Amino acid sequence: MSPTVTQAPAIRRAPPLAWAILGLGVFAYAVAVLNRSSLGVAALEAQERLNASAAQLALFSVLQLGVYAVMQVPVGVLLDRHGPRVLISCGLLLMALGQGLLAVADSVPVGVVARMLVGAGDAMTFISVIRAAVNWFPPSHLPLVTQATAIVGQCGQLAATYPLITLLAGFGWTTTFLSAAAVTLLVFVLAALLLRDAPADSDHRLHRTGLGETRTSLLLAWRQPGTRLGFWCHFTVQFSGMLFVLIWGYPFLVEGQGLSPGRAGALLASMVPAGILMGFALGRLSALHPQRRMHLVVACLVATVATWTAVIAWPGTAPGWLLGLLALALASNVPASMVGIDIARSHNPRERLGIATGMTNSGGFFAALVAILLIGATLDLVSGSGGYGTSEFRVAMATQFIVWILGSLLLLRAHRHLRDV
């Protein structure tokens, strides 16, 4: 197996200010998750307001995720050059602009542009918070800090369920998305004024490399077997939970399983505390048993595939307890994908962390955009003009198996390569 890269810590222990910086970064990421997930609970309203078909509605999320995924490597390069504060601030500003544009959108093209702006801003946030954590915390803290960032940041999903559903019902589309834009703009001001890239006495340096050196760093990062293994872990295990939260979960539960909007929102919201608990558990296990990280990823993948299989195969609508198990399994997807990021981080030197993290973090988003598009196209194909019900969603959700099979094969291949090096 390739030896793990030993990274000299910039600091021996985290100063109190580190926790304040991390808290602000996690808050910024939670707002990014709010913006990312906001269309999911408004999917039915979006179809009516923008006169969009299921395939067109899927296109919103596909392009948003496509922008996010494609930007991960360029953002990683910019992160190594300009630091977390600049990238997080710019990301928040782009998301505020996107949500403001969506608030006044009345057609599919305008809505698509708005969601692409949200995707671009979202792309700058998470890996920048992780890079700030690398600068402020010693390596022994990083598996747990990474999980904490990802999972506590998912609290933004809570704001994208009950509060947004309430705003939509009481005040309508425009007020809802303008409110999201205003919150994002406020956090932009806080980040621009208060965030710091690293402690003043650390050895942190920005890497302002030329084009040729950047190309070399990209090649070296991808040729590192640990980066490829992290990428395929992220690709295979994250996408199902993501598409459920972003767009198809709420329509699936309401139209496909007959739940009331309140119960559907409660089920989506329950994924957040469940994910927090799983995230801290997986982060602790990843730190204590780094040689067993693949076992953690595979266990979460098996649980997700098994519960989806049971829901899809269940005659008629699935019982509440089974949908609860599905929510629990999907809640493990983000924590498991963070294990993939931890694998890539531990096999790359500090000067390539932005690039390697960006590469790895793009995996699940590429998988999600493919799966979202497959589900939307399948719904339109099997439903005709009759609307979407249990049977239509059963067929559409089964297309996830295509992505799982592809990802699992490539994951096993990458793991074999890492062992053989």
Side-chain angles (χ1 to χ4, degrees), residues 62 75 89 98 137 208 273 299:
V62 165
V75 166
S89 300
F137 289 86
R208 302 188 184 279

Side-chain angles (χ1 to χ4, degrees), residues 5-275:
V5 172
T6 302
Q7 300 165 3
I11 46 179
R12 294 185 177 181
R13 64 187 180 88
L17 182 59
W19 297 102
I21 295 295
L22 180 65
L24 182 54
V26 170
F27 186 35
Y29 178 54
V31 171
V33 173
L34 161 65
N35 290 319
R36 180 196 305 170
S37 308
S38 59
L39 192 63
V41 297
L44 300 178
E45 289 81 358
Q47 282 190 283
E48 180 179 349
R49 178 183 176 91
L50 306 177
N51 193 26
S53 66
Q56 288 175 321
L57 190 61
L59 184 64
F60 278 67
S61 291
V62 165
L63 290 176
Q64 175 187 340
L65 293 178
V67 168
Y68 185 108
V70 168
M71 285 188 64
Q72 284 302 287
V73 172
V75 166
V77 173
L78 292 172
L79 183 56
D80 290 335
R81 289 188 175 197
H82 300 291
R85 184 178 67 87
V86 171
L87 271 293
I88 292 171
S89 300
C90 290
L92 289 164
L93 185 58
L94 283 174
M95 285 186 284
L97 291 173
Q99 293 291 61
L101 182 59
L102 189 63
V104 298
D106 57 3
S107 66
V108 169
V110 177
V112 164
V113 171
R115 294 308 286 179
M116 289 177 70
L117 286 172
V118 171
D122 189 11
M124 297 180 179
T125 309
F126 175 71
I127 65 172
S128 298
V129 177
I130 294 300
R131 182 54 185 273
V134 170
N135 295 339
W136 281 93
F137 289 86
S140 61
H141 286 52
L142 291 177
L144 199 56
V145 167
T146 299
Q147 288 288 353
T149 301
I151 300 306
V152 178
Q154 296 299 311
C155 289
Q157 183 184 326
L158 287 175
T161 51
Y162 283 124
L164 285 190
I165 290 172
T166 302
L167 279 173
L168 277 169
F171 298 96
W173 176 280
T174 299
T175 299
T176 298
F177 285 98
L178 282 179
S179 298
V183 170
T184 308
L185 198 58
L186 174 61
V187 182
F188 156 73
V189 174
L190 292 176
L193 293 176
L194 301 178
L195 271 178
R196 296 294 180 267
D197 289 339
D201 58 350
S202 76
D203 61 359
H204 167 70
R205 295 185 304 275
L206 298 176
H207 300 280
R208 302 188 184 279
T209 57
L211 183 60
E213 193 174 347
T214 297
R215 188 186 309 113
T216 300
S217 295
L218 288 169
L219 291 174
L220 288 173
W222 183 248
R223 286 174 181 170
Q224 167 56 249
T227 305
R228 297 199 300 274
L229 179 60
F231 175 90
W232 292 116
C233 286
H234 203 277
F235 180 99
T236 308
V237 80
Q238 191 194 38
F239 77 90
S240 188
M242 183 181 299
L243 69 85
F244 199 78
V245 170
L246 280 184
I247 185 167
W248 291 126
Y250 187 76
F252 168 76
L253 294 172
V254 174
E255 301 291 334
Q257 296 297 313
L259 299 187
S260 67
R263 286 189 64 195
L267 201 60
L268 289 170
S270 72
M271 293 171 60
V272 175

Side-chain angles (χ1 to χ4, degrees), residues 389-421:
T390 304
S391 299
E392 290 76 17
F393 270 108
R394 179 181 290 120
V395 175
M397 291 301 185
T399 60
Q400 294 179 90
F401 284 92
I402 298 172
V403 186
W404 278 320
I405 291 170
L406 173 64
S408 297
L409 292 174
L410 293 169
L411 174 61
L412 292 173
R413 182 170 179 262
H415 186 239
R416 186 168 60 250
H417 284 177
L418 183 61
R419 287 188 309 175
D420 293 343
V421 171

Side-chain angles (χ1 to χ4, degrees), residues 315-391:
T317 58
W321 62 265
L322 183 54
L323 294 176
L325 286 179
L326 176 64
L328 286 176
L330 293 176
S332 74
N333 289 183
V334 168
S337 70
M338 293 305 103
V339 176
I341 287 180
D342 193 42
I343 291 172
R345 179 195 56 77
S346 63
H347 285 84
N348 282 277
R350 180 180 292 271
E351 62 269 17
R352 289 204 304 268
L353 280 182
I355 292 173
T357 304
M359 283 182 174
T360 305
N361 196 46
S362 68
F365 291 87
F366 277 121
L369 70 89
V370 171
I372 287 171
L373 192 58
L374 280 173
I375 291 170
T378 303
L379 278 174
D380 281 343
L381 182 65
V382 300
S383 66
S385 59
Y388 318 127
T390 304
S391 299

